[in-house]
Amino acid sequence: MKYLLLASAAAAFVATPAFAQDDPAEDDANVIVVLGEGLPDTPAAPAYSTVEIDREQIVSTGSGRLDDVLLNVAGFQQFRRSDSRSSNPTTQGVTLRALGGNATTRALVTLDGVPLTDPFFGYVPFNAVAPERLGSVQVTRGGGTGPFGAGALAGTIALNSADAATLGLFNAQALVNDRGETQLSATAAPEVGDGYAVLSGRWDRGKGFFTTPEDQRVPATARAKFDSWSVSGRLVQQVGDDLELQVRGLAYDDARTLRFEGQDSTNEGQDLSARLVSRGPWQVDVLGYAQWRNFTNIVISSSSFNPVLDQRDTPSTGLGGKIEVRPPVGEANTLRLGVDYSRSEGDLEEVNAFSGPRFAGGVNSMLGFFAENDLELGNLILTGGVRVDRSSIRDGYYETVADGRTNFADRSDWYFSWRAGALFEATETLQLRAAAYTGLRQPTLNELYRPYQIFPVTYLANENLELERLEGYEVGIDWLPVRGAKLSITAFDNEVENAVANVTIGNNLNQRRNLDAIEARGIEASAEYQAGAFGLIGTLAVTDAEVRGTGFAAELDGLRPAQAPEWAASISASWRPVEGALFAATLRHVADQFEDDLETDVLPAATTVDLFAQYPLIDRLSVVGRVENLLDEEIVTLNRGGTLDLGVPQTFWIGLRYGF
């Protein structure tokens, strides 16, 4: 069925009729509408701490990967420091504000308004989204309401596709690095009817690097080999005076090897979405999506070097949608009303070498109703929003040959969340803002039902996990000291009650449990400066995070959460000497952090430098050079009692780029 739907979507790209063009004389010259976007941000959106990554930053990273792009926002982190070539995909959970501690995403990550996280595990499939397809990225920190706000516990990361005007009719790039790895991509964006279509493909492959330090390698040690591809299609059509249709399809496959020969993982997916946007007096945004995903993984023993676990099938399905309406309620008010729904269903089938086959799975769903209003009072804008969500966790089960099948009790409940903020334009160059909010996150099927092992440690699931709840507030300023410069500073205090974490409960035995809370207090800052061809962008996050624990977690009380650095910084400088040329350098630092909840193993601080250069040759053809980890810094991504995994070493890329 899913392949039939995808094929139908592909046919729509070539079979869509050319709608009649309106008379240009009838257009309102004062209104500029960019096709392919959703409804515009509300007036009070800047009241919340937001960083925007523009297209120039997106396409000029050292690695050319989406997770690298997001590291430009200090405070963004995955569960591990590994990138999306050399990590197990299930560790690619995303969070903000040092609220980490497990591998599940605590931020809402969307692509053109559609939630992107895996329905079973909650990780972000970074390799499915090629950065060159994007026009901008907006990172908003702090709990959120609005569409799918139940997933925005730590904030929202909105990935926005580039339109045809930005992409050009055709662009492509081909690069190779000093290990012989390749990166190929191409995009075509022709005009179609009263809109455009975008067809895009990307293929990355390589033998990878050794994640194991040289003095810890054994004959079975393997490079982090990877082979991934992604194809997408998008159709944007104006189907009425103020009505726009957007259809998007995505398919991807990603295979990786980690640490030992035969320790292979794959993740694949097919996504389909349709969106109808009305920009008339009654603004409406209607969205529906379907996702089909699967994950496989083989675990190799670090003592016998034989397979001990074959996680051979983890099919999952995600379904959802939203309806948002903005009625005309006067020039001073912007009112949003809506409903959204998401459903995740998945099953696990794996074979343990010692205990035999085991199976697990269930169905999670969230139904939410939201309302939000902005009120403009001269230089002051006030905003407030509420959500009511119905959480349902049902059909959960766990089955082994020895113990048979256990069916877990269904449970459901209603949850209330809210946010409010104020934005005051004190002068033409100074804005003051304040916000307070709550949020929630439902535990994933993976956290509820799937045990796993990173030898010698076993991690147990927990079907009784409660929803995480966040309370927080922040204050900030945005200052424009001189032309071309902007400085933003935000002070925040966020607390996640019932935070899910891997808790040590015995020798080499952990279980996912709800902590009393994780509290994070800190400062976020960003600075921008543009003077002619020169640009400078920097971000900084300093966070004091600690666990609140009683009972089983009493020994964790006051400790720093696992995988949460105290501070992180990123600064990028760029220079455009001539048309089509770009030189950029990025310096990043992340402080040391603890591998585990008991602060036993440390991941040392790391400082990296990445470079990017593009220079035109003829017409739209340019030569491109990139450098990852210029100083060859040792980046420790995992530390288990001195057994280490390492991140990407010094890597040089060279290639050609047409367009962009």
Side-chain angles (χ1 to χ4, degrees):
M1 180 64 180
K2 64 183 178 183
Y3 296 105
L4 177 61
L5 289 170
L6 289 168
S8 300
F13 283 91
V14 297
T16 301
F19 294 93
Q21 299 284 344
D22 293 332
D23 183 354
E26 298 177 359
D27 293 340
D28 185 351
N30 296 320
V31 177
I32 299 176
V33 176
V34 179
L35 294 181
E37 297 183 351
L39 294 178
D41 287 338
T42 62
Y48 304 98
S49 178
T50 302
V51 176
E52 181 161 344
I53 307 174
D54 62 22
R55 182 166 173 81
E56 181 176 290
Q57 296 180 74
I58 291 172
V59 299
S60 61
T61 63
S63 69
R65 308 179 81 81
L66 178 58
D67 42 316
D68 197 6
V69 172
L70 294 173
L71 285 171
N72 286 335
V73 179
F76 165 86
Q77 67 174 112
Q78 298 184 70
F79 178 56
R80 299 204 181 280
R81 296 174 177 177
S82 309
D83 69 8
S84 55
R85 292 163 293 194
S86 59
S87 64
N88 187 291
T90 61
T91 66
Q92 293 177 183
V94 168
T95 193
L96 302 163
R97 289 186 168 168
L99 295 173
N102 66 12
T104 300
T105 294
R106 282 195 169 109
L108 173 64
V109 183
T110 63
L111 175 60
D112 297 326
V114 177
L116 192 61
T117 49
D118 181 87
F120 190 95
F121 294 94
Y123 66 81
V124 179
F126 285 111
N127 288 347
V129 183
E132 55 268 18
R133 300 172 189 162
L134 301 177
S136 66
V137 178
Q138 286 181 306
V139 180
T140 302
R141 293 162 290 201
T145 57
F148 308 113
L153 188 83
T156 303
I157 300 174
L159 311 175
N160 305 306
S161 293
D163 60 14
T166 300
L167 294 170
L169 180 61
F170 178 76
N171 59 66
Q173 65 177 4
L175 295 103
V176 62
N177 70 16
D178 53 350
R179 292 189 295 271
E181 298 162 3
T182 56
Q183 191 176 96
L184 308 173
S185 66
T187 299
E191 293 185 6
V192 176
D194 280 1
Y196 59 86
V198 177
L199 301 173
S200 177
R202 176 160 166 164
W203 182 29
D204 295 355
R205 63 183 299 274
K207 64 181 181 180
F209 54 88
F210 284 107
T211 60
T212 306
E214 188 171 359
D215 61 355
Q216 296 183 4
R217 295 175 194 167
V218 296
T221 299
R223 291 173 175 268
K225 180 174 63 176
F226 61 96
D227 191 342
S228 66
W229 59 261
S230 168
V231 294
S232 71
R234 189 167 183 246
L235 176 69
V236 177
Q237 282 292 305
Q238 193 166 345
V239 294
D241 290 340
D242 298 304
L243 194 61
E244 177 184 323
L245 174 66
Q246 305 170 17
V247 179
R248 180 172 58 80
L250 170 70
Y252 64 90
D253 187 87
D254 184 9
R256 310 179 197 178
T257 299
L258 183 62
R259 197 174 180 87
F260 298 120
E261 289 289 349
Q263 188 155 287
D264 303 325
S265 67
T266 68
N267 74 100
E268 64 171 278
Q270 303 85 35
D271 293 10
L272 184 65
S273 66
R275 188 178 197 179
L276 198 63
V277 181
S278 173
R279 307 181 193 278
W282 281 75
Q283 297 183 338
V284 180
D285 190 352
V286 180
L287 171 69
Y289 67 88
Q291 301 166 329
W292 301 271
R293 308 285 176 84
N294 204 339
F295 172 79
T296 69
N297 186 47
I298 296 175
V299 177
I300 302 295
S301 167
S302 60
S303 56
S304 69
F305 308 112
N306 293 316
V308 293
L309 180 66
D310 182 4
Q311 190 175 338
R312 58 192 183 190
D313 197 25
T314 318
S316 62
T317 303
L319 301 172
K322 72 158 187 178
I323 301 174
E324 178 182 344
V325 179
R326 299 185 186 181
V329 290
E331 294 183 359
N333 285 279
T334 302
L335 177 64
R336 305 170 68 193
L337 303 171
V339 58
D340 59 59
Y341 175 75
S342 61
R343 181 182 188 273
S344 300
E345 178 179 2
D347 297 278
L348 164 71
E349 177 186 344
E350 63 184 22
V351 178
N352 187 292
F354 306 103
S355 59
R358 57 189 183 189
F359 309 87
V363 179
N364 285 1
S365 64
M366 294 290 287
L367 173 65
F369 301 88
F370 61 90
E372 193 163 35
N373 188 68
D374 293 357
L375 175 61
E376 299 178 66
L377 302 171
N379 291 346
L380 176 66
I381 302 177
L382 302 177
T383 182
V386 296
R387 275 188 66 93
V388 179
D389 286 278
R390 175 73 169 179
S391 169
S392 174
I393 298 174
R394 59 186 179 85
D395 298 337
Y397 70 94
Y398 181 72
E399 180 179 356
T400 65
V401 173
D403 301 325
R405 181 181 176 112
T406 300
N407 293 312
F408 303 118
D410 295 348
R411 50 196 171 106
S412 60
D413 206 348
W414 289 95
Y415 295 86
F416 176 77
S417 57
W418 58 269
R419 71 174 180 177
L423 182 69
F424 179 63
E425 187 173 340
T427 69
E428 292 184 354
T429 60
L430 181 66
Q431 283 187 334
L432 308 177
R433 48 188 167 80
Y437 36 75
T438 64
L440 66 150
R441 182 186 74 86
Q442 188 181 59
T444 63
L445 299 172
N446 175 57
E447 292 171 312
L448 291 165
Y449 309 122
R450 172 189 170 252
Y452 69 100
Q453 186 175 43
I454 301 178
F455 188 84
V457 182
T458 297
Y459 298 83
L460 302 178
N462 186 349
E463 72 278 4
N464 296 312
L465 290 173
E466 299 179 25
L467 273 68
E468 295 181 335
R469 303 294 304 273
L470 176 136
E471 295 181 358
Y473 62 87
E474 62 190 55
V475 293
I477 62 170
D478 301 313
W479 182 38
L480 308 175
V482 295
R483 184 174 181 179
K486 180 180 179 180
L487 175 65
S488 297
I489 300 176
T490 303
F492 66 89
D493 188 328
N494 287 184
E495 181 175 274
V496 179
E497 299 176 355
N498 300 325
V500 178
N502 291 321
V503 177
T504 300
I505 61 174
N507 185 33
N508 291 328
L509 184 63
N510 284 30
Q511 186 181 33
R512 301 183 185 96
R513 291 192 174 181
N514 291 111
L515 303 174
D516 291 6
I518 293 177
E519 184 173 12
R521 301 172 296 270
I523 299 290
E524 296 162 340
S526 64
E528 304 175 25
Y529 181 66
Q530 189 72 42
F534 176 76
L536 191 67
I537 298 175
T539 59
L540 170 69
V542 181
T543 311
D544 176 21
E546 60 182 24
V547 172
R548 305 292 188 200
T550 58
F552 71 87
E555 63 180 325
L556 304 180
D557 189 60
L559 299 184
R560 190 168 185 82
Q563 306 291 336
E566 185 173 357
W567 71 285
S570 172
I571 184 168
S572 297
S574 63
W575 179 45
R576 285 190 171 276
V578 296
E579 180 69 25
L582 174 62
F583 298 91
T586 299
L587 171 68
R588 296 194 184 111
H589 177 83
V590 59
D592 55 10
Q593 56 199 68
F594 293 104
E595 173 73 37
D596 61 324
D597 59 321
L598 296 177
E599 298 188 351
T600 304
D601 299 315
V602 176
L603 305 178
T607 302
T608 59
V609 176
D610 293 348
L611 302 178
F612 176 89
Q614 173 179 307
Y615 199 82
L617 298 175
I618 54 172
D619 194 21
R620 299 180 66 200
L621 182 66
S622 301
V623 62
V624 174
R626 303 192 315 223
V627 184
E628 299 180 71
N629 195 3
L630 173 67
L631 304 179
D632 204 19
E633 175 86 339
E634 182 177 84
I635 307 168
V636 178
T637 62
L638 180 146
N639 180 2
R640 293 289 188 193
T643 298
L644 307 181
D645 275 353
L646 303 178
V648 62
Q650 182 188 73
T651 305
F652 295 89
W653 292 85
I654 188 70
L656 296 174
R657 174 180 284 182
Y658 181 82
F660 293 86

